């Protein structure tokens, strides 16, 4: 979801700009350690794909739109650190060139979509791939579940920010805002889950070495999918 200028007061916007900078600094440090010949071109493709799917926006609240995030897709393919950087690049381009999301709200949007969304998605992915049986459907189901969690967590990030410093009267109580964000983004998460599942399952079947979440597991979950 993109937050416009003026929805959150400047003090909270500055606070979350600091949170975003600190989170991105960690991502850059860890991401550099993981870079190799496979991740560099894949990261570019992931960023381009996320940019395309985020162009589809749905109005949720005044000044707040919902859309596919792409954090889980990025985390599965290139890892949580580079994934967060990919989403951040997309958000910066959208804010500066397309005025999609406020410039003063950039720290808020990066925190929600690039950091919270990607981290939540990858935590679910990493957990489920370790506990679910090694079957062809495991990565597919994991991607769907992770997307729903990722998008919902990112949406509730806005609710927290609004509770801390909402500068505009949206005309709803905080509980109603949380419910509206959760309901809309639950559906968006399901749609994103289908797209992500189809994408990562296909890549895992033809080039499992390009899927970060599979490559970095002790026991690859798609080993059967490759031979089917």
């Amino acid at each position: 979801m993109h937050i416009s200028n003026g929805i959150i007061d400047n003090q909270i916007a500055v606070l979350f700009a600091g949170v975003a900078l600190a989170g991105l600094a960690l991502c850059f440090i860890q991401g550099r350690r993981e870079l190799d010949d496979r991740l560099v071109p894949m990261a570019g493709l992931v960023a381009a794909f996320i940019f395309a799917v985020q162009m589809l926006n749905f109005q949720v609240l005044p000044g707040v739109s919902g859309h596919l995030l792409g954090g889980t897709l990025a985390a599965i393919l290139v890892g949580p650190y580079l994934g967060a950087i990919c989403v951040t690049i997309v958000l910066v381009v959208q804010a500066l060139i397309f005025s999609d999301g406020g410039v003063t709200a950039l720290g808020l949007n990066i925190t929600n979509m690039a950091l919270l969304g990607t981290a939540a998605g990858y935590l679910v992915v990493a957990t489920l791939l370790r506990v679910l049986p090694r079957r062809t459907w495991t990565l597919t189901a994991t991607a769907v579940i992770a997307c729903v969690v990722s998008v919902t967590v990112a949406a509730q990030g806005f609710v927290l920010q609004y509770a801390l410093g909402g500068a505009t009267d949206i005309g709803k109580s905080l509980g109603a805002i949380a419910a509206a964000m959760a309901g809309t983004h639950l559906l968006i998460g399901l749609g994103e889950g289908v797209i992500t599942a189809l994408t990562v399952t296909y890549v895992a079947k033809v080039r499992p070495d390009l899927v970060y979440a599979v490559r970095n597991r002790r026991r690859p979950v798609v080993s059967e999918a490759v031979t089917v």
Side-chain angles (χ1 to χ4, degrees):
M1 71 306 299
H2 282 107
I3 304 172
S4 302
N5 291 328
I7 300 297
I8 307 296
D9 68 40
N10 291 334
Q11 289 181 331
I12 299 301
V14 170
L15 171 64
F16 279 94
V19 172
L21 287 174
L24 289 175
L26 174 64
C27 290
F28 274 107
I29 293 171
Q30 296 295 331
R32 286 186 62 184
R33 297 175 181 174
E34 299 178 341
L35 276 178
D36 56 31
D37 293 338
R38 292 170 295 190
L39 284 179
V40 172
M42 181 60 75
L45 291 173
V46 167
F49 183 80
I50 293 173
F51 180 83
V53 299
Q54 281 200 7
M55 296 304 288
L56 300 173
N57 284 277
F58 313 93
Q59 191 70 29
V60 181
L61 296 166
V64 181
S65 62
H67 55 71
L68 305 182
L69 301 188
T72 298
L73 173 68
I76 293 174
L77 292 180
V78 300
Y81 302 113
L82 288 178
I85 294 172
C86 288
V87 177
T88 297
I89 292 172
V90 172
L91 294 176
V92 171
V93 171
Q94 289 176 334
L96 297 180
I97 298 179
F98 296 95
S99 298
D100 195 359
V103 174
T104 61
L106 198 51
L108 301 164
N109 288 323
I110 289 173
T111 298
N112 294 340
M113 291 184 274
L115 299 181
L116 285 179
T118 303
Y122 188 74
L123 284 174
V124 173
V125 169
T127 300
L128 292 182
L129 289 185
R130 289 187 180 278
V131 300
L132 291 178
R134 292 181 295 166
R135 298 290 185 270
T136 57
W137 54 265
T138 301
L139 184 61
T140 303
T142 295
V144 174
I145 296 171
C147 281
V148 172
V149 173
S150 169
V151 173
T152 304
V153 168
Q156 295 307 305
F158 163 76
V159 178
L160 171 63
Q161 292 162 350
Y162 187 82
L164 291 175
T168 302
D169 184 7
I170 295 180
K172 295 178 180 289
S173 66
L174 191 62
I177 292 173
M181 294 295 286
T184 301
H185 284 85
L186 175 63
L187 297 177
I188 292 174
L190 289 172
E192 179 171 333
V194 172
I195 295 173
T196 299
L198 291 173
T199 303
V200 299
T201 301
Y202 175 77
V203 175
K205 284 184 177 181
V206 297
R207 288 292 303 274
D209 60 302
L210 295 180
V211 182
Y212 179 97
V214 171
R215 193 171 67 245
N216 284 269
R217 293 185 69 249
R218 294 178 181 176
R219 298 189 303 168
V221 72
V222 294
S223 56
E224 296 182 13
V226 177
T227 58
V228 172

